[in-house]
Amino acid sequence: MQWIVIASLLTVVAGPLLWGAVGVLRSRGAAASLSPRSEWSWRPTLHSTALYAFSFSLIFFIQELFLVVPKALTPGLRPTLFHNNHHWDGDNPLAHLFQGTGALAILLVAIACTVWLKLRPPRGMGWRLFAIWMAFHGYFQSLPQIVVGSVVPQNDVGMAFDYLQLGAGTKFALGLMALPLIAALAIGFARPLLALAPQAGDIATPGRRSGFIFRIATLPALLALPLIIAMRVPGSLDQVAIVPVAEFVIGVWWLQAAAWSTASARPAGIAPARSLAVPMAAVIAQLLIFQLVLRPGIAFF
């Protein structure tokens, strides 16, 4: 267990700090770009904020739904879906296996959104951000569970590992394999986000790339946290705040730290976001559904 903890701290804390420090030094030494850049507008930042919050909660809902549905189809289990969790009554050994189906489902959603971005990327800012954040949340709500599940049997994925009778060495290997994948994926999201820049001058230097990622991703993720938590209250700390905060620390920090080094990114000519009405309406509708429909619980039996 201690080796997984050490490797996790090196990956999640030390890695981004060191890489970001290199970026600061490179930014100071880089020649100033003569390329013009756009004036900063709050509109893309707020657009990204709304879609970050909406996508986070949608991915979480998909995870919980696919934790509940397999149990609902299993004799002896009576699951109930809530806005920030689920539980079940009854007993069946398969319940422990089905604790891993939620993470698997959102991982598949993340892969599907990645393929969408690669093969038929949306041309509008709104849909492009939606696809990016759906993939981001799918990866960073699923893969860290492998790391935690490799050392914590009570974790959802840990229960599935135990049902499959995976040995300590196998679980340790899976946890170690997930860590560099988490870092690589976080770094990889810099490219599609930088492609949202209005013009090449906005991302022409290491400093400008870091600044653009801060405006389009890091600041929106911070601003989205209260919206995400509002959808998840009331509940215990692990149900309400730990997951969104941990995902920010694990994914967004690496993304921000590595933005400066993505020198090959180019603007994709994305149509700018025209209105905040649609994403904000989606977040409000989602909040109402979570609090009025899911919070009391939906019985799947």
Side-chain angles (χ1 to χ4, degrees), residues 146-163:
I146 297 175
V147 180
V148 177
S150 69
V151 294
V152 180
Q154 296 79 13
N155 167 265
D156 287 353
V157 173
M159 292 183 188
F161 284 167
D162 283 348
Y163 179 88

Side-chain angles (χ1 to χ4, degrees), residues 76-181:
L77 299 179
R78 298 178 298 277
T80 303
L81 176 65
F82 296 97
H83 65 306
N84 59 17
N85 204 350
H86 82 287
H87 74 70
W88 71 92
D89 298 316
D91 186 39
N92 190 304
L94 287 172
H96 286 185
L97 175 64
F98 294 150
Q99 284 297 94
T101 53
L104 176 61
I106 60 175
L107 178 60
L108 293 176
V109 170
I111 293 171
C113 289
T114 301
V115 173
W116 180 18
L117 286 166
K118 291 289 186 181
L119 299 183
R120 299 183 67 87
R123 300 304 302 171
M125 174 76 77
W127 283 110
R128 183 71 68 97
L129 278 169
F130 174 73
I132 290 171
W133 288 135
M134 284 291 287
F136 182 91
H137 292 309
Y139 288 126
F140 290 100
Q141 287 185 41
S142 61
L143 293 175
Q145 293 190 59
I146 297 175
V147 180
V148 177
S150 69
V151 294
V152 180
Q154 296 79 13
N155 167 265
D156 287 353
V157 173
M159 292 183 188
F161 284 167
D162 283 348
Y163 179 88
L164 295 171
Q165 298 182 351
L166 299 184
T170 301
K171 291 190 286 187
F172 179 75
L174 289 172
L176 284 184
M177 289 169 58
L179 286 171
L181 182 58

